[in-house]
Amino acid sequence: MAPNLPPPSSFTIRMYQAETEELTYTPDLAFLNFVQDGKTAFIDFHDLEDFRSAVPNTPSYNYVWAIYGNLDVQKAGTYTFCTISDDGSLMYVDGRLVVNNDGLHGAQESCGGISLSAGTHAMFLPGFQHYGAAYMSAHYYGPDTGRVKRYLRSDSSKAPDPPKPSAWTLRMFKGSGIQNMAQANWRFLTFVGEKTVRDVYVPNNQEFVRLMPGMPDNNFVWVYYGTVAISAPGVYSFCSTSDDGSYLFVDDSLLVDNDGLHGGERRCGSVRMAPGNHAVRIEGFNHYGGAYQDLDYAGPDTRDQYRHMVSLPTAAPPLPPPSQWLMRMYRTNYEPFELVPDVSHMTYVGEAVISYIAFSTLQELRNWIPGTPEAKYAWQVYGKVRIMIPGTYSFCSQSDDGSLVYFGSTLVVNNDGLHGADKRCGSISLSAGDHDVVVVGFQNYGGVYQVFSYSGPDTRGVERWTPSVSAAGPPDKGGKAGQFGNWPPS
C-alpha cells in the first residue's frame, strides 16, 4: 500500500500597515494596524502584485506581513531554514528565532539551523517592505528533504489569535527656550494634544507633527505613558535614544537620564523587576533641529534581545488645572505708608481672578481691577499651591514696594518696606497636597511690581512663576484684623 500523501501546503498570511512613515525593521505586530488576511500554498512573493494575489488589500508601501504555518517533521535532526526578502524578514520555529534577515535592503538571503524532533512545529515568518520593490520567499532542507533545498511547506494553516494592539498615550507640549529636561517640565508648558500610539519610535520632526497637528517644529516636549507586562522575573535593561534630551521612568523612578542638547544619543539603565504590570514613562524635548525618540528594552521576557516595548492601554494622569489666584485690592489715605498693611483697616476696591502673581505696571492692575488708585494701595492675593513631590521648596517675592508671603499662618518670605523691585526668598518643607498661600503687597507712590515664583522638586530646580489650583478667598472681603501685615503701616 502506498503511504498517505501529505496534505496540501497552506500558510496563513496576515497583512499589517505601520503608523510610522519610515519603517526600517520588522516590528512587533502589536505596533501595527491590521489590514487583511489570506492563504498561500508556498511563500514565494516576487513583487507587490504577488502579495496582492494572496491579500488583495496589501498597501503600496510601509507594510508588514505575518505568515503562519505548521511543519510536520518525519525525521528528527538538524534543519536549515532560509528566507530571501526585500526588505527585512525573520523566521521563528516554535518561538525561537532561527533566521534574522531584518533591516532595509534589497532581495538578499539569510539562513539558520535548528535541531527538530519528529512532530509538528509552529512557524512564524514576519517581514516588511518600506518602499519600492518587494520580495519574500522561504526554503528549507534537512532529513525530510534528503538535504535538498526545497520551498518551505506547511501542513496546516492554523494560526494563533492576532495580538492585542500596543497602546501608549502620547502627550505633546510647547514652550520656548527649552534646553534641558528641567526646562522641559510639561507641567509648566502649553498643552498641544493627546493621542494613542502603538510604539515609541519617532524618527524626525515631521513625524511628530504628523502625529500631533499644530506642533511647532522646535521647542516642544513629548511624554509617553505606558505599561509593560513582565512575565519572567529578573534584571531588565531599558534604553532611550533621543534628540535632544530625555528621561525614562520605570514605576515612577528615574532609570535613564539622557538629558542635554545632543543628537540621537542612546543611554540605558537596568532594574530588577518582578512579574506583573509596571508603569513606564518617557519624557523628552527638542530645542532646535532634528528630533528623535526611540525606546527599547531587553531582559528575560525578550531572551535578552533588545526590542521595542508593547504597552497595555495606559491612561495619562490629569493635566494640572489652569493657574488661578484671587486678587483683592484696597486703598487708604494713611500717612506714613511704609510697610505691608493689615488690609482690614483699608477700603476694599475690587477683586479679580488672575492666572499668576506677575505684574509690572499700574495699567496691568487696572486691567484686572479698574478702581485701583494711583497711590497708597495694597493687594492681598489668595491661592492654593499644589505640591506633587514632597520636599524643601524656595519661594521668592520680587516687589515694589514691599510684600509678605504666608503659608497658612507661617510667614515664609519677608520683603517688607519701601524699596524698588527687590527680591527676597524663603524656604519651607512641604508635604504632597494643597497648601493655602496668601501674598500681600503694597505701593506707596511711583512704579509698581510683583512677581511670585518658586523652585523645588516639582520644578526640577528651575525657578518658575507659582501656580495656584484655587482662587477661593474668605467671604469677608474686608480682611481679618491682625491676620496679615502691619497696622499702623509705619
Side-chain angles (χ1 to χ4, degrees), residues 2-273:
N4 292 330
L5 292 173
S9 178
S10 180
F11 292 88
T12 292
I13 178 170
R14 293 174 180 155
M15 199 64 68
Y16 297 81
Q17 186 154 36
E19 289 187 347
T20 178
E21 291 187 347
E22 292 188 12
L23 194 59
T24 59
Y25 63 94
T26 301
D28 191 298
L29 301 181
F31 299 130
L32 307 173
N33 296 317
F34 175 72
V35 175
Q36 193 180 22
D37 60 10
K39 304 291 183 184
T40 184
F42 295 98
I43 303 172
D44 189 30
F45 303 100
H46 292 200
D47 53 32
L48 177 60
E49 292 309 311
D50 281 352
F51 277 110
R52 285 179 172 168
S53 68
V55 184
N57 292 337
T58 298
S60 298
Y61 62 95
N62 239 37
Y63 54 91
V64 175
W65 56 84
I67 303 173
Y68 300 89
N70 297 275
L71 180 65
D72 287 344
V73 171
Q74 303 300 315
K75 299 176 182 178
T78 298
Y79 286 78
T80 298
F81 296 87
C82 302
T83 70
I84 303 174
S85 65
D86 176 1
D87 288 294
S89 62
L90 303 167
M91 181 174 179
Y92 296 86
V93 178
D94 295 332
R96 180 179 172 184
L97 180 64
V98 177
V99 179
N100 186 346
N101 195 9
D102 209 5
L104 284 171
H105 54 71
Q108 70 178 31
E109 184 176 46
S110 183
C111 301
I114 185 174
S115 179
L116 297 178
S117 61
T120 301
H121 298 272
M123 300 178 293
F124 172 45
L125 297 90
F128 80 98
Q129 173 54 232
H130 170 46
Y131 194 84
Y135 197 102
M136 177 64 183
S137 67
H139 303 78
Y140 82 122
Y141 59 89
D144 279 359
T145 71
R147 306 293 178 186
V148 176
K149 190 175 183 181
R150 299 185 182 278
Y151 277 108
L152 183 63
R153 62 169 285 109
S154 171
D155 297 282
S156 166
S157 61
K158 182 180 179 181
D161 292 335
K164 293 182 179 180
S166 176
W168 292 84
T169 296
L170 168 63
R171 279 180 175 169
M172 302 291 293
F173 303 83
K174 61 183 179 180
S176 61
I178 303 172
Q179 300 190 52
N180 54 54
M181 285 304 299
Q183 295 170 344
N185 192 333
W186 58 268
R187 292 180 178 86
F188 302 93
L189 302 176
T190 301
F191 175 67
V192 175
E194 177 179 313
K195 185 176 184 179
T196 299
V197 296
R198 299 287 175 82
D199 194 6
V200 182
Y201 174 67
V202 184
N204 52 46
N205 301 54
Q206 292 73 28
E207 184 68 8
F208 272 117
V209 173
R210 187 187 72 84
L211 288 172
M212 201 74 64
M215 282 298 303
D217 59 5
N218 58 69
N219 282 300
F220 58 86
V221 168
W222 56 87
V223 184
Y224 287 87
Y225 298 91
T227 303
V228 59
I230 296 296
S231 298
V235 175
Y236 287 78
S237 173
F238 293 80
C239 301
S240 174
T241 305
S242 64
D243 177 358
D244 288 293
S246 60
Y247 282 162
L248 193 158
F249 299 84
V250 175
D251 293 329
D252 288 326
S253 294
L254 179 62
L255 183 64
V256 178
D257 183 345
N258 196 7
D259 197 5
L261 292 171
H262 54 69
E265 291 187 6
R266 183 173 190 257
R267 292 186 184 177
C268 305
S270 297
V271 62
R272 183 171 295 277
M273 305 185 77

Side-chain angles (χ1 to χ4, degrees), residues 318-329:
L319 289 166
S323 178
Q324 51 180 348
W325 296 85
L326 176 64
M327 170 184 275
R328 288 175 175 166
M329 195 66 68

Side-chain angles (χ1 to χ4, degrees), residues 420-437:
D422 290 349
K423 181 179 180 180
R424 292 188 182 177
C425 305
S427 296
I428 185 172
S429 181
L430 296 174
S431 60
D434 295 345
H435 300 266
D436 291 324
V437 177

